[in-house]
């Protein structure tokens, strides 16, 4: 029998090595879109995603407070920034495949799967691009410790697709839109053009991921006759454990379908 999309998602989640995980992810995305183009739809099927995705033995995962901070002015500081980004991208690969695999009780249109397969493919590309930059600077992913808490949002929302969409694309990935221009500036000042180019690809494509989040969040609310804004605020307060931090990239957030009343109220403790 043909392998279904959710089995593919589970296979990616269960692959530990970063480069192997992203290679498999990109191969499955190509398979999915080739079948879509040919009009020969792959089955979605059912899969059982692991509670936590497989990850390589290194990096060592530490409590965020114990991850050493380095100054961005030094090459070591820039390597540390890239290492943290690589870790976020690898986590994002798993988050998108987990979203595809996990919520099989919720019937979703095909466009939902198209969007998240595309997002997972792009995260895989992002991880590889940043790893290439790290390696060109004499480092590699796994060379320094990384944040341990990254899968927390996935665990907290494992039973709630609306909560997952609210917290992952619409809060965490939207935060990426806020902070990436500052990172691009750091690498522009250091004249590290390859890294600037990689970050610009990431910045452009992340707008799409946030937009997919708000599109499917609104879709699900509409199907249930819910008013999206108060539902969103309630879910973020339930699953995301700190107030949102300004400043916000209002222009890119708007482009991604996130209006100001979806984030300004969350800057205050509930
Ligand atoms: Fe990304
Ligand atoms: Fe993303």
């Amino acid at each position: 029998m043909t392998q279904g999309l959710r089995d593919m998602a589970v296979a990616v989640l269960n692959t530990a090595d970063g480069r192997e995980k992203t290679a498999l992810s990109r191969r499955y995305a190509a398979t999915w879109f080739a079948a879509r183009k040919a009009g020969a739809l792959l089955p979605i099927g059912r899969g059982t995603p692991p509670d936590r995705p497989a990850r390589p033995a290194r990096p060592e995962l530490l409590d965020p407070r114990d991850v050493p901070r380095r100054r961005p002015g030094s090459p070591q500081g820039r390597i540390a920034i890239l290492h943290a980004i690589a870790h976020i991208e690898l986590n994002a690969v798993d988050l998108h495949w987990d979203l595809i695999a996990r919520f099989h009780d919720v019937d979703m249109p095909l466009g939902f799967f198209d969007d998240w397969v595309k997002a997972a493919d792009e995260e895989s590309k992002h991880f590889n691009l940043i790893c290439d930059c790290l390696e060109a600077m004499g480092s590699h992913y796994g060379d320094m410790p990384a944040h341990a808490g990254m899968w927390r949002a996935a665990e907290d929302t494992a039973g709630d697709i609306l909560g997952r969409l609210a917290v992952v694309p619409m809060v965490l990935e939207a935060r990426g839109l806020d902070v990436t221009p500052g990172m691009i500036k750091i690498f522009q000042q250091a004249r590290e053009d390859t890294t600037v180019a990689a970050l610009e690809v990431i910045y452009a494509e992340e707008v799409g991921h946030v937009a997919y989040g708000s599109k499917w969040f609104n879709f699900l609310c509409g199907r249930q006759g819910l008013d999206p804004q108060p539902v969103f605020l309630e879910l973020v307060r339930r699953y995301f454990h700190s107030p949102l931090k300004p400043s916000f990239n209002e222009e890119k957030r708007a482009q991604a379908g996130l209006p100001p009343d979806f984030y300004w109220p969350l800057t205050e403790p509930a």
Side-chain angles (χ1 to χ4, degrees), residues 10-181:
V10 170
V12 174
L13 289 161
N14 285 330
T15 300
D17 179 76
R19 293 279 196 178
E20 280 174 34
K21 188 190 286 284
T22 56
L24 195 61
S25 168
R26 301 215 71 184
R27 187 148 61 77
Y28 286 152
T31 306
W32 170 259
F33 286 115
R36 286 287 270 148
K37 220 171 146 192
L41 184 64
L42 294 180
I44 306 290
R46 276 180 93 102
T48 310
D51 292 341
R52 281 164 174 259
R55 289 295 171 78
R58 299 195 71 85
E60 181 191 2
L61 300 180
L62 296 180
D63 187 288
R65 281 169 305 189
D66 301 328
V67 176
R69 287 181 181 274
R70 294 181 178 85
R71 288 184 316 141
S74 66
Q76 273 312 311
R78 288 192 295 278
I79 287 174
I81 293 172
L82 289 179
H83 196 275
I85 297 173
H87 189 60
I88 289 169
E89 299 293 352
L90 192 63
N91 200 62
V93 173
D94 284 326
L95 282 170
H96 295 327
W97 285 112
D98 189 85
L99 175 59
I100 289 166
R102 185 165 303 275
F103 300 97
H104 46 71
D105 295 344
V106 185
D107 195 30
M108 294 303 282
L110 272 179
F112 175 85
F113 299 99
D114 286 337
D115 285 350
W116 297 112
V117 171
K118 182 164 184 281
D121 187 40
E122 288 170 350
E123 305 297 8
S124 306
K125 177 174 60 181
H126 300 170
F127 175 78
N128 289 333
L129 279 171
I130 296 299
C131 285
D132 293 345
C133 296
L134 273 174
E135 286 162 25
M137 293 177 84
S139 183
H140 60 90
Y141 179 64
D143 216 11
M144 52 184 69
H147 285 203
M150 288 263 168
W151 201 247
R152 167 100 190 259
E155 287 174 323
D156 288 350
T157 58
D160 184 344
I161 187 171
L162 270 178
R164 174 68 64 89
L165 290 167
V167 170
V168 174
M170 298 170 79
V171 168
L172 296 176
E173 294 192 275
R175 175 83 185 140
L177 301 179
D178 303 335
V179 300
T180 306

